[in-house]
Amino acid sequence: MSRFYEIEPSLENYWRAVILFGNNVASYKFALGKSLLELGAVQDDLVRLEQLAEPFSRHLCEHLQHAPKQVTSKSSKFLDTCKSFNRGELSQQSLIEQTVKLGFNNVIDAFHIVNRAEIDTRFFIDERKTHGGIRMTKAFLQLTEGEQFQSFEHETEARWRLVEEAWGMGVSRNLVSVEYDRELKALFASNRERRVNITSCRDSLNGYQKGYCFYCYTSISVEPSSPLLADVDHFLPWVLNQDIPAINGVWNLVLACPECNRGEQGKFARIPSLLLLERLHRRNEYLINSHLPLRETLMSQTGRTTERRAQFLQTQYNIAKQRLIHQWQPQARGEATF
């Protein structure tokens, strides 16, 4: 998991490590992340808790309306307060006061923890005791100026929805799989009783590819209006859907720039090179280390161990080569970083 940011220790990759790989016992980290992104390049680098409390509580209240389970524990005083606000029993001022009192007890301390250790770069400093808030660092201000900043809100929201859906359905008992709807370009979860659309496939996968085309490493975007909007591509082509099991599964989905996916020299229905298969395996391991619920889906579709998953990919790759024969290798337009 540390390879994700060690291979390219950029501010963007440290931020994504927090959102994608940080341990989650509550969704507060996502609410805090979205609040920081919303505040953006604040004029004063000190953000007081009262200022932070408004977007933080708003995001949680909005999510509680469609996903009542936002923590793994049985109860939460703070979430009970948010639910009271949603029922109209509490004023916004009271909500903000209770958020300042209860909402930040653990999340500020835990935000920068990934794999039980703090990442090397901090995006804020805890100054609650001395100045009543948090102080944004130069690293965060630089993050807001990067070309990928606009994608972070989409990625954080997608990750939040995946986690809360897993909690709501109960992964170990009910969540059969996370699947892909080709027409809606969306991920959905299903069990015996229902299908639930979760989130955009682009938003869910973009962070794990660090905002780059899977094939050529040129920059891509998940902003709908962006000229760099990514395509969702089947690594092993969809025409093999009768030969490859779960070809529509997350394990076989990548984000590609339009040129690689359907340009003049694009992939189309050809088989990517063996080097790209190794890259797919690494990407899938990132997804598995990110835990709920893509972890369970990938392991059920491709294997319970790293070795079995690598063998699964190789087996499907061999089948694809027998059927389609022609291989494809993109021209690199950026440095390999995942």
Side-chain angles (χ1 to χ4, degrees):
M1 185 159 49
S2 59
R3 184 186 190 278
F4 181 86
Y5 50 85
E6 288 176 351
I7 191 174
E8 184 193 16
S10 66
L11 296 178
E12 289 81 3
N13 290 341
Y14 279 125
W15 175 270
R16 285 178 166 128
V18 167
I19 300 301
L20 300 177
F21 301 108
N23 292 333
N24 300 308
V25 295
S27 59
Y28 298 173
K29 180 177 288 190
F30 307 127
L32 179 56
K34 289 194 66 171
S35 300
L36 297 177
L37 295 173
E38 184 175 323
L39 290 169
V42 291
Q43 292 184 356
D44 185 353
D45 59 357
L46 176 67
V47 178
R48 297 184 62 83
L49 291 187
E50 291 82 2
Q51 181 184 0
L52 190 59
E54 191 282 319
F56 183 79
S57 58
R58 169 165 40 84
H59 290 307
L60 277 164
C61 286
E62 289 174 354
H63 272 257
L64 280 167
Q65 291 178 350
H66 68 257
K69 191 170 180 59
Q70 293 292 326
V71 294
T72 55
S73 59
K74 293 183 179 180
S75 62
S76 164
K77 279 188 176 182
F78 173 55
L79 290 183
D80 288 343
T81 299
C82 292
K83 293 174 183 177
S84 294
F85 174 79
N86 282 347
R87 292 193 297 266
E89 301 169 355
L90 204 66
S91 68
Q92 185 175 32
Q93 183 57 40
S94 296
L95 173 64
I96 291 176
E97 291 172 358
Q98 289 300 305
T99 301
V100 170
K101 181 180 178 181
L102 302 172
F104 303 112
N105 290 343
N106 298 312
V107 67
I108 287 178
D109 293 330
F111 187 80
H112 294 96
I113 303 297
V114 177
N115 199 24
R116 301 183 180 179
E118 185 171 307
I119 58 174
D120 293 338
T121 297
R122 292 188 67 94
F123 296 105
F124 61 79
I125 305 297
D126 183 3
E127 294 189 0
R128 283 175 291 177
K129 292 183 178 179
T130 56
H131 294 90
I134 59 175
R135 191 172 298 276
M136 309 312 297
T137 63
K138 289 183 179 180
F140 180 76
L141 298 180
Q142 291 172 6
L143 189 74
T144 67
E145 297 168 355
E147 66 175 6
Q148 297 193 28
F149 183 74
Q150 297 303 319
S151 293
F152 292 155
E153 193 278 333
H154 298 283
E155 294 172 19
T156 305
E157 177 69 12
R159 177 68 182 147
W160 190 347
R161 285 183 174 268
L162 282 165
V163 169
E164 68 190 6
E165 185 60 31
W167 287 342
M169 297 184 75
V171 169
S172 61
R173 293 180 293 106
N174 299 319
L175 188 57
V176 175
S177 65
V178 175
E179 302 174 54
Y180 175 59
D181 187 307
R182 294 179 66 208
E183 293 184 4
L184 297 178
K185 298 291 190 294
L187 298 181
F188 66 92
S190 61
N191 60 16
R192 294 179 181 177
E193 298 178 355
R194 61 179 181 139
R195 163 179 162 159
V196 180
N197 288 336
I198 306 175
T199 188
S200 160
C201 185
R202 288 190 184 99
D203 297 353
S204 298
L205 297 181
N206 193 57
Y208 300 98
Q209 293 184 198
K210 302 178 181 179
Y212 298 120
C213 171
F214 180 87
Y215 300 115
C216 74
Y217 286 109
T218 193
S219 293
I220 55 176
S221 174
V222 294
E223 279 285 339
S225 60
S226 173
L228 302 178
L229 181 65
D231 286 353
V232 180
D233 182 46
H234 290 80
F235 179 86
L236 297 179
W238 172 253
V239 296
L240 297 169
N241 66 87
Q242 299 298 317
D243 304 293
I244 304 294
I247 197 170
N248 227 15
V250 178
W251 69 270
N252 192 44
L253 301 177
V254 299
L255 299 186
C257 68
E259 185 171 338
C260 281
N261 189 40
R262 48 191 165 87
E264 186 175 348
Q265 302 299 320
K267 169 176 162 283
F268 294 99
R270 289 181 287 177
I271 305 300
S273 68
L274 190 60
L275 180 65
L276 293 171
L277 182 70
E278 295 171 0
R279 187 181 299 173
L280 180 66
H281 178 61
R282 289 198 302 273
R283 196 290 310 266
N284 285 348
E285 293 304 297
Y286 285 153
L287 290 169
I288 285 172
N289 283 317
S290 190
H291 295 284
L292 305 172
L294 296 178
R295 173 187 179 89
E296 295 301 317
T297 296
L298 281 160
M299 292 177 75
S300 66
Q301 291 177 342
T302 64
R304 307 303 297 184
T305 67
T306 300
E307 292 74 18
R308 289 184 178 181
R309 291 190 289 273
Q311 183 58 51
F312 171 85
L313 289 181
Q314 187 63 61
T315 299
Q316 307 317 313
Y317 187 78
N318 292 342
I319 293 172
K321 284 203 302 181
Q322 292 175 2
R323 300 292 189 276
L324 298 181
I325 303 175
H326 299 292
Q327 286 193 331
W328 175 78
Q329 176 67 40
Q331 180 178 355
R333 293 192 286 162
E335 185 178 354
T337 58
F338 60 88

